[in-house]
Amino acid sequence: MNEESNHKLSSSTSRVSSSALLSAAMADLDGPPLKQDCGDLVAEGIEHLSMAMLVNIYGKLREMSLLGHVSVKLRDIDVNSHQYNSRKKEMKRLGEWTAADEAKGYLDTTRKAGFIVRAVMDEHELFEAEHARGANSEINHALLAYDASLLKDFKTWVEESRVKQLDTATEGIIKRIREECSQRQMAREEMMSSNHSLPTSGKSNTSLRIARRRGSLLDVSQSFQDASWMKQEKKLIEDHFGIKNDLPASRRKSSSRDRVPGELSGSLISKAIEESSDAFFEEGSVMRNLLGSGFEVVWFADRHPSDIIYGICVNRQTATVTVVFRGQDGIFDLCCKTAMSSFPNPIAHEDYEGNSECINLRSVVADELLRVRMDTKMSLISEIREKVVIIGQELTNGTNAGYHLSVVGHSRGGGYATVLGYYLASDMYLEVASAVRVFTFASSPVGCADFQKGFKHLEEEGRLAHARFANSNDLFTSLPLRGYSEENKSKVKYHHVGLQVRLHKANEAGRRRIKQSLDVSYDAKEPLLIEMARAARNVLSLIKALICFVYTKNYCISQYHLRMHFAREYRLALGNGALRFDRKRKCLKSLNEYYVMKCRHVRDFTGFKEKPALLPTWAMYVLVACLLYVQIDIIFKFSATW
């Protein structure tokens, strides 16, 4: 026990000292202050990827609700949205919109992560029940296949995160309900004899009673056996307190006014389960981190499935506003939709090397973001900025304390996030407490060399920070290579921006690469031959492994989470060794620290040194050429004997 406490103390001490050194190093640099207490780079990436997953699944739930594929109504799960605004206008027309409703702000109509998780899991249970009944119509078959693809990743996350022993979580919820109901009963002692008041005896044997009830319900109740584990927990708690939800309507309480204080109701149980949802998941798991993050969905824009769909979330504890984009690129989009469009450079008036009046951006990404809509007379970037400012002011109660701003996206959503982060960071009138932070996953390049130079200028000024996570052997993060520009009347090369974090598989090669350090690079200028060799290697591996398999395996959100979790846990495990340099491995650097070292060139506060190349350039050329020759020879021999 003492060894564990000393281990935690040394870890926290090293993190504090590193943060103090970072603050001292940043004292002489220009730009806004850094966001503090963000955690290490991989942990922050896991948190934002979890947000992207939840916003994606919430968007799918809303879509299926509008299509009538789920039992829940959109108005019951809605937040501030275009649909919500339409209902508000109709209620105003009918005279049903009160002054109290008008006084509500954005933060008064939000949905927490726990609510969304419960709603999706409830609908998934109904979906599996429909599947078990074996509906044979073509419509139902299409619906089942569609819904299964939407919920598969989310179900995997939930099942992998769930604790193995649920009775402990159930016992904690029962204890919490007892305490809340006891406080209510103190005001009305004469109501203690009501039908559903809590029993006061047998508290010491709660765990034994739960186990006994679970066994009996599994034996006699078919509905209990077929229900999801969270529904089983609710039924178990209701049975523990004697709640019967299958009573006829005439015997139920018709109004909440008839219910006495201290009486236990189904809504009270549901609320207790929702507030204690994190108890059902393992410490450090995706769902536990997600529910414990405290973020809420405030605004959701999903006018049409073909439109750019995004959500705006907040974290009240850290005063952070996060814009999360949904997006999925297909193979056709990456290979064929490569054209570029020219736009005015928002920082053309600033003085930096490589300044240009215009920048070329990928059309399929930037056109919809920067096009002025006919109905609102403003672009989507202006719309997002307007809502971010209003929500940020509500979040800080209109004070000058300031709020933090992050932008997140996966696949094409990562391209949207990159462009939006660039324009928001270039806005001198947007008052935020720290640099705009962008987190992208499986993102393709979206801009030309002029865009890259402007992006780098904002990073060096401390106004923008971008963590770009990419799986190794993922061809789609390097496509497209070039795009046709109408301004130049020729093809222009695409350039990646930001700090690249390459994620490796959980195998021997991946462990060997991560053992030395995380694979993080910034502004890596590789020779053309090396770049072509990497592209050729990815193409060959793509052919050998089949396009569809590699696409779904290396590109999906769950694969990104798996690799980030492996990288972080392996580095922390190495830090527990007894060797001298193991202590350094445990101190994973934050995004701020990487930017201070690699972008803003403050290398002495942690003793950072550039690692020399393992091989000279000419030797690397020869090695890559030999590998390519061997692979091509193997493919030709294989095709000849087919």
Side-chain angles (χ1 to χ4, degrees), residues 299 301 308 310-312 321 323-325 369 378-391 405 407 416 420 424 430:
W299 168 266
I308 296 178
Y310 69 94
I312 300 180
V321 180
V323 182
V324 185
F325 286 97
L369 283 173
M378 59 194 310
S379 66
L380 186 59
I381 287 183
S382 300
E383 175 188 312
I384 294 174
R385 182 196 182 282
E386 181 182 78
K387 288 180 169 52
V388 164
V389 171
I390 297 174
I391 294 172
L405 179 59
V407 191
Y416 297 143
L420 177 64
L424 292 180
L430 183 64

Side-chain angles (χ1 to χ4, degrees), residues 224-255:
F224 183 81
Q225 297 178 18
D226 297 336
S228 65
W229 56 268
M230 188 165 278
K231 281 291 185 69
Q232 288 183 358
E233 297 311 302
K234 184 176 180 181
K235 174 65 178 175
L236 200 64
I237 295 172
E238 290 175 345
D239 186 71
H240 178 86
F241 291 118
I243 299 276
K244 303 296 182 183
N245 286 330
D246 53 351
L247 292 175
S250 58
R251 296 181 57 188
R252 297 179 186 171
K253 299 288 185 181
S254 59
S255 173

